[in-house]
Amino acid sequence: MFRTDKERAVLFGEFMISRKATVRATAAEFGVSKSTVHKDLTEQLPKLSSSLYSEVRKILEENKEQRHIRGGLATKQKYENAQK
């Protein structure tokens, strides 16, 4: 699927930007682990494309700020479904 790690990092970045996706969604789309996606985006991408990395960084920060809200909503839905 990927020829190189560098190509993979750029593809992950472009996917995240185009869909404002989370690391989990990106990992699921490409069939790799969350760790692989995060490592490629934070370690490889800055060396390859600083402009792409800055956009990805904004999305990562936004997702980090919202994760406690998403987690709370998921827990709420879980218990609402369990009561039915």
Side-chain angles (χ1 to χ4, degrees):
M1 181 176 201
F2 308 109
R3 288 184 291 230
T4 65
D5 290 347
K6 294 175 183 178
E7 179 183 291
R8 184 175 68 189
V10 171
L11 285 173
F12 291 164
E14 290 172 347
F15 178 82
M16 283 192 78
I17 290 169
S18 68
R19 300 205 184 163
K20 298 229 185 263
T22 62
V23 171
R24 276 182 195 253
T26 304
E29 178 72 23
F30 289 96
V32 296
S33 71
K34 296 181 302 180
S35 300
T36 300
V37 172
H38 193 268
K39 186 173 182 174
D40 281 354
L41 292 174
T42 58
E43 293 179 11
Q44 294 287 335
L45 196 56
K47 298 173 191 172
L48 302 171
S49 173
S50 59
S51 60
L52 183 61
Y53 175 70
S54 65
E55 292 182 49
V56 168
R57 192 80 212 144
K58 289 176 190 174
I59 293 172
L60 290 173
E61 289 298 322
E62 183 180 322
N63 289 339
K64 186 175 181 182
E65 291 173 5
Q66 295 175 355
R67 71 179 171 197
H68 69 283
I69 296 169
R70 290 184 185 138
L73 292 173
T75 302
K76 179 182 175 186
Q77 188 167 4
K78 174 184 171 182
Y79 286 107
E80 285 176 349
N81 289 340
Q83 290 177 354
K84 291 181 181 179

